[in-house]
Amino acid sequence: AALYTAVSALRTHQQFLSVVANNLANVNTTGFKRSYEVVLQAYKADGLGFDSRHQPQIVSKDQIQLKPGPLIATGRDLDILLNDSTVLGMNAPNGELAFTRRGDLRVNANGVLENGAGHVVRGDGGPINVPPGFKVTIAEDGGVYAYDPQQPGIPQPVLIDRLQLRDASQTPLARREDGLFRVDGQPSGADFASGPVPTSVTSKALEGSNVNAMGVLIKLMEQSRSFEQSINVI
């Protein structure tokens, strides 16, 4: 029984370290959100001598922590910081709806608004297309305005779309394989109703990663010691 428990512990260490390593690797990634490393589930061990034995087993859920990261003022018109628990709807690489906190936006060669990772931003009408040669600004409520800088006199910005914003304060999110977020417990690509907190953005600023590098390093040391103890038991 002691050997079985020790081997099970080694497996949980591996799951924990993979999530923690991903968090640490993204300590400088814009808008990155750390995950809850592991959760406990009751597992019934069947077999000889285990007919009525339940033991806690650690599993990785990779559920997103929306704790805000530091504000980084940039002065760039297309940089936005998503306030509170606001998340931004995106087109995932496979075309599904996904969400992100990364707000370093830009207009690509096709005139479509995307973020620094190349994911297309969703508006109320789908992908947001910017007229050629136009400049874009983003309002606090997510309104996307465009104007022609060659227009005589004072340029008059025109609303062309609104960012697809959702408040995720009451909705658990999990990380997809492509790094974007999905609704935990729902089919991939599912949308969700915005929560009670009003959605908003802060223009000309970005959000830094909410990963605390020192805290993660301490956890890695603790897990290393626990791993050695399991090896000694075996």
Side-chain angles (χ1 to χ4, degrees):
L3 178 61
Y4 176 85
T5 302
V7 171
S8 178
L10 291 180
R11 293 174 180 169
T12 64
H13 290 312
Q14 183 179 10
Q15 293 173 330
F16 180 93
L17 289 174
S18 66
V19 177
V20 172
N22 182 60
N23 286 341
L24 188 60
N26 288 279
V27 69
N28 292 318
T29 300
T30 300
F32 181 82
K33 294 299 178 188
R34 63 172 295 187
S35 304
Y36 291 101
E37 289 85 5
V38 290
V39 295
L40 287 175
Q41 285 185 349
Y43 172 75
K44 183 178 180 180
D46 295 319
L48 185 63
F50 294 99
D51 292 340
S52 61
R53 177 169 295 175
H54 286 76
Q55 85 177 83
Q57 185 176 40
I58 296 177
V59 296
S60 174
K61 289 287 287 184
D62 212 2
Q63 196 173 87
I64 304 302
Q65 296 188 40
L66 288 177
K67 179 182 177 181
L71 183 149
I72 305 170
T74 65
R76 183 172 171 271
D77 288 336
L78 286 180
D79 284 343
I80 58 171
L81 181 148
L82 297 145
N83 297 324
D84 301 313
S85 298
T86 300
V87 292
L88 174 61
M90 312 292 290
N91 274 351
N94 63 358
E96 293 179 341
L97 171 64
F99 300 93
T100 188
R101 290 276 293 192
R102 184 166 181 167
D104 53 342
L105 308 186
R106 65 192 180 192
V107 180
N108 65 20
N110 297 319
V112 178
L113 198 63
E114 65 179 19
N115 70 2
H119 300 132
V120 174
V121 177
R122 284 203 183 193
D124 290 339
I128 300 174
N129 294 282
V130 178
F134 275 54
K135 297 291 185 181
V136 175
T137 59
I138 299 175
E140 183 180 2
D141 64 356
V144 181
Y145 292 83
Y147 66 92
D148 184 359
Q150 304 300 323
Q151 179 184 352
I154 301 176
Q156 299 297 320
V158 177
L159 179 66
I160 59 174
D161 210 331
R162 290 188 183 276
L163 301 176
Q164 188 180 80
L165 302 177
R166 300 285 186 270
D167 169 46
S169 60
Q170 305 295 321
T171 304
L173 300 176
R175 199 180 313 278
R176 296 164 48 101
E177 292 182 358
D178 51 29
L180 297 171
F181 307 156
R182 61 176 177 82
V183 182
D184 194 20
Q186 297 294 323
S188 183
D191 198 357
F192 66 95
S194 189
V197 180
T199 58
S200 64
V201 303
T202 298
S203 298
K204 300 184 180 182
L206 292 174
E207 179 185 26
S209 170
N210 69 352
V211 176
N212 184 310
M214 186 61 66
V216 173
L217 288 173
I218 291 173
K219 285 189 175 183
L220 284 173
M221 289 188 290
E222 291 174 347
Q223 284 298 306
S224 178
R225 294 187 182 120
S226 180
F227 179 85
E228 291 174 358
Q229 291 174 354
S230 298
I231 291 294
N232 290 336
V233 169
I234 293 176

